[in-house]
Each structure stands twice: as structure tokens, then as C-alpha cells.
Amino acid sequence: MVNMNKILDEAIEKDASDIHLISGNKPILRISRELKRIEEMEELTPDDMTEVYDFLVRGNINKDEVFRETRKLDTSYEYKGIRLRVNISNSFDVPLCTLRLIKNTLPSFEELGVPDIVRRMTYQPQGLILVTGKTNSGKTTTLNSLINEINETQTRKILTLENPVEFRHHSKKSLIVQKEIGRGQDSLSFSDGVKNSLREDCDILVIGEIRDKVTMEAAIEMAESGHLVIGTLHTKSCAETIDRMINFYEVRDQASIKYLLSALLKLVVSQRLLKGKDGKLVLIPEVMVVDNIVAGIIRKEKISVAEIEDAIQSNAEKGSIGLINSIAKAFVEDKITLEQAKSQIEEKNLEILNRTIMQLKIRKDNIGGY
């Protein structure tokens, strides 16, 4: 019989970010990006995984039906005051589980390393702000820190749509309403939740994930109607984010959506997490403030990734931050190695990286900072 309490206690004690439970393997923890087996425990059997499934689903009929029909389930679980994001799927018709531990306290923007322009942009009365990145790039943490910052400093009604709800916020200066998406939950889908939010008198709508055209259309309609919409996308750069949003639409509709995006999109922050030299994770942000130049590029018939990257690089005075600049800065501050820095960019940009590193070192030596 599998001892889930022991696994969870071990994960909490060792400050793991994730727990992997897979038949034929000992329970595995991810600690500082590295996988570590719980050696003193036995390998999990198919019967063990059925027990784990029952432990996490807790007899919820709706959740069980979703898993039986779709062969996957996203849900949450709480243990000793700590929330866990749970994903259950199948391998050879046996359940496997991935659990993400959600910290009870949110780091500040300064602790995360998120540029201050992101916080300042939340004072916009309307528009669209996107936090993007690949899986495990810290999007959810950044998003929740942003919600917390608004909650502590502004008097707004914030409505969040999440699958599942990871961090529970409590109203401070702002009024916060959190809704979980899914069958048997607060809203059936992200798009349904966004459409209903138009009737809920919120100032800021937070969409946990924009994953399809229907949700994108609803988010744009919400921003058009005078609200600030903050959402996440699974994209690896600011330029790819623009391309992904436009490609949600048929070619015949893309011209009109480009004009809408050029008017409504205010900021895109694309982030990566690297394991630093001290073992801690280092945030590498790319930030695109949408000014007239970027808006003009978005409206073009053919969008050029190079043009967007050049616009970001040359728009530092308005808060934009190029990826190469962020990588070079992390290296000069001795947070990452040169090999890590080079691994994050294309080979054709290595010369630009080296030049940027030299410029930052000279500036640091001359003025004692940046």
C-alpha cells in the first residue's frame, strides 16, 4: 500500500517543486530542476497507482467522469495547508500522476526578478497584457504575484479564471473573485467564463491560459469593452506570441485581428527559468512594450520576427527588454555561466551576445551598475 502522506511530507521537507508518481518507478521528486528518487520507498505498482488515483480524486463523480471520458484530469489537492496542482493521465492503461506544489507565500516582484514595467502596466484602464513562456517557466507564479501586487495597491475588482485554482487570494484593497474551470466547477470553459465576466462588473480579468480561438476572441471582446485583460500563452518569445495569436484565425480574418491587436495589446513578457550558479532559479525575461512602432509591425501583411526583435532591442527607454540583454545581464551579474547564456540563443546571435556582455561590463566598471 502506497503511503501518500510520507511522499507529500518528503516533498515539503525537501522543498520539491513537483512529484512524479509512475508505475514501475519509485516516487520521484523534482528539486531545483533535478529529479531525485525517494530511495527508501518501493517501486509503485499498478494497484498502487489506482490507490493514488482514489486518494487524489476523493470520490468526486464529476472528476472521475472527466478522466474516464478524456483519459486526463487537471485538478487540485490540499495537504497540511499546501495546495497542489494535480495532473492525472494514463500510460499502458495505468494512471500516472504529476503533482506541482504551490507555495503559500508569493515572492515579490523584486524577488522574482520581474521587470518593474510589468507592474506599472497594470495601471492601464484597458487593454491586453500577456505573460508567456514554455512549461515550467514560472508563468503562474508571475501571474499570481501580479494579482497580489494589484490587490495590495489598487482598488479594482479582479476576476480570475483558472484550471485549477493554484493560489487562493484574499481581498485586500481590491475585490477578488476566483473561478475554477472544468466540468462540475465554477465555469465549464475559459471562453464561457470570459463571456460571463462581461456581466460581472470586473475591472481586471485574469485568464489562466488562452489556448484557443474562442477564448482569444472573448478576451479581445473584453478588452475592447473597456477592461484590462491579463492572460498567459505557451509561447517561447514575444514574437512567437504575436504569431500564435494571429494564427488562431483564418487567413481572411487576420488583417482585421491584426488591427485589433495593435490597438489593444499593451505588453508581452516572455520568460525563461535557468538554474543559476548558486542552485537557485534565475528569471530571464524578454519584455515587449507595444508602442507605435511595434503596433505598425503587427499591422503589416507579413510579420517579421526580426523586425519585432529589433523593435524590442531599440525601445529600452519605454521599458522593453531584449532577450539577449537579459541573458547578458544575468551572466555579467555572475548568476549564470557563459555556456548557459550561449545555449539560450541562436548561433547567429552569438556575436551580438558577446558585444552586449562587453558593453555591460564596461558600463558596470565605469558607473558601478547599469
Side-chain angles (χ1 to χ4, degrees):
M1 182 175 178
V2 61
N3 189 339
M4 277 299 295
N5 289 343
K6 177 176 172 58
I7 294 170
L8 294 171
D9 286 337
E10 185 99 356
I12 293 168
E13 181 186 338
K14 294 187 175 178
D15 196 26
S17 62
D18 301 88
I19 304 168
H20 297 274
L21 304 174
I22 303 169
S23 181
N25 295 272
K26 294 184 177 186
I28 296 173
L29 307 180
R30 187 178 292 278
I31 303 169
S32 298
R33 287 291 174 97
E34 295 184 2
L35 297 176
K36 308 276 189 181
R37 287 176 176 79
I38 303 180
E39 295 293 353
E40 63 270 23
M41 298 195 74
E42 299 293 326
E43 288 185 359
L44 297 165
T45 66
D47 286 343
D48 288 333
M49 292 313 303
T50 300
E51 286 184 20
V52 172
Y53 175 87
D54 292 338
F55 179 90
L56 295 170
V57 173
R58 293 174 288 179
N60 186 297
I61 294 173
N62 284 315
K63 292 179 180 180
D64 188 58
E65 284 182 355
V66 169
F67 182 74
R68 301 298 173 193
E69 290 176 13
T70 66
R71 318 307 289 166
K72 62 182 181 180
L73 176 67
D74 288 308
T75 185
S76 58
Y77 189 85
E78 191 163 317
Y79 179 76
K80 293 186 176 180
I82 293 177
R83 287 178 63 76
L84 298 101
R85 186 181 75 195
V86 178
N87 175 266
I88 306 174
S89 59
N90 262 2
S91 176
F92 297 106
D93 207 32
V94 177
L96 65 89
C97 304
T98 306
L99 289 69
R100 167 68 54 86
L101 282 76
I102 311 300
K103 294 187 182 298
N104 284 327
T105 55
L106 286 168
S108 66
F109 262 53
E110 293 76 14
E111 290 168 332
L112 282 175
V114 178
D116 192 57
I117 183 64
V118 181
R119 179 191 63 80
R120 299 203 307 270
M121 276 289 179
T122 64
Y123 285 89
Q124 295 276 339
Q126 74 174 101
L128 188 58
I129 294 174
L130 297 173
V131 179
T132 74
K134 296 191 292 186
T135 302
N136 294 332
S137 61
K139 296 187 299 296
T140 302
T141 302
T142 296
L143 196 65
N144 279 293
S145 291
L146 194 56
I147 294 168
N148 188 57
E149 176 71 20
I150 298 168
N151 190 21
E152 291 182 340
T153 58
Q154 301 181 44
T155 53
R156 317 280 285 274
K157 181 180 178 182
I158 305 168
L159 173 63
T160 79
L161 305 173
E162 304 166 73
N163 179 25
V165 170
E166 295 189 8
F167 187 89
R168 285 183 177 168
H169 294 271
H170 301 283
S171 298
K172 298 173 186 175
K173 279 194 171 182
S174 289
L175 172 63
I176 295 188
V177 177
Q178 291 179 272
K179 295 189 177 185
E180 190 149 292
I181 304 300
R183 188 188 302 178
Q185 304 302 324
D186 305 309
S187 183
L188 287 176
S189 68
F190 280 104
S191 56
D192 285 345
V194 177
K195 289 172 184 175
N196 194 66
S197 68
L198 285 163
R199 300 175 179 86
E200 296 190 53
D201 187 38
C202 67
D203 301 296
I204 299 175
L205 174 66
V206 179
I207 306 173
E209 186 180 348
I210 299 173
R211 59 178 71 167
D212 53 38
K213 178 186 173 184
V214 178
T215 306
M216 176 60 69
E217 286 178 330
I220 288 173
E221 182 183 355
M222 190 73 178
E224 267 192 298
S225 65
H227 301 79
L228 181 63
V229 179
I230 305 172
T232 73
L233 269 86
H234 284 279
T235 51
K236 66 179 182 181
S237 69
C238 294
E240 185 183 295
T241 301
I242 302 299
D243 191 56
R244 173 74 58 83
M245 294 168 75
I246 292 168
N247 283 314
F248 277 138
Y249 296 83
E250 299 292 334
V251 174
R252 66 176 180 272
D253 300 322
Q254 288 183 359
S256 59
I257 204 63
K258 286 177 182 179
Y259 274 89
L260 275 175
L261 286 177
S262 68
L264 296 172
L265 190 61
K266 303 301 179 185
L267 178 136
V268 179
V269 53
S270 179
Q271 55 187 54
R272 307 179 184 194
L273 282 178
L274 302 181
K275 186 176 179 180
K277 293 172 73 173
D278 61 357
K280 297 179 181 178
L281 295 176
V282 178
L283 183 72
I284 306 292
E286 178 188 33
V287 179
M288 180 178 74
V289 176
V290 181
D291 63 353
N292 291 334
I293 295 172
V294 175
I297 296 171
I298 293 173
R299 288 193 296 267
K300 286 186 175 181
E301 183 177 348
K302 186 173 178 61
I303 291 180
S304 165
V305 170
E307 274 191 274
I308 291 176
E309 290 175 347
D310 288 345
I312 293 170
Q313 201 74 20
S314 60
N315 201 17
E317 72 280 358
K318 292 185 179 178
S320 290
I321 303 171
L323 176 63
I324 291 176
N325 281 65
S326 284
I327 294 170
K329 186 170 183 286
F331 170 70
V332 171
E333 291 177 347
D334 203 32
K335 293 179 179 178
I336 61 173
T337 66
L338 186 58
E339 288 70 26
Q340 283 180 300
K342 289 179 177 179
S343 71
Q344 295 300 306
I345 60 171
E346 297 179 21
E347 191 171 343
K348 65 181 181 181
N349 291 324
L350 285 177
E351 187 179 336
I352 300 173
L353 174 65
N354 290 331
R355 189 163 61 244
T356 305
I357 287 172
M358 289 302 298
Q359 290 169 348
L360 289 177
K361 282 184 174 178
I362 291 169
R363 194 182 311 170
K364 184 179 181 181
D365 291 342
N366 288 344
I367 62 175
Y370 301 100

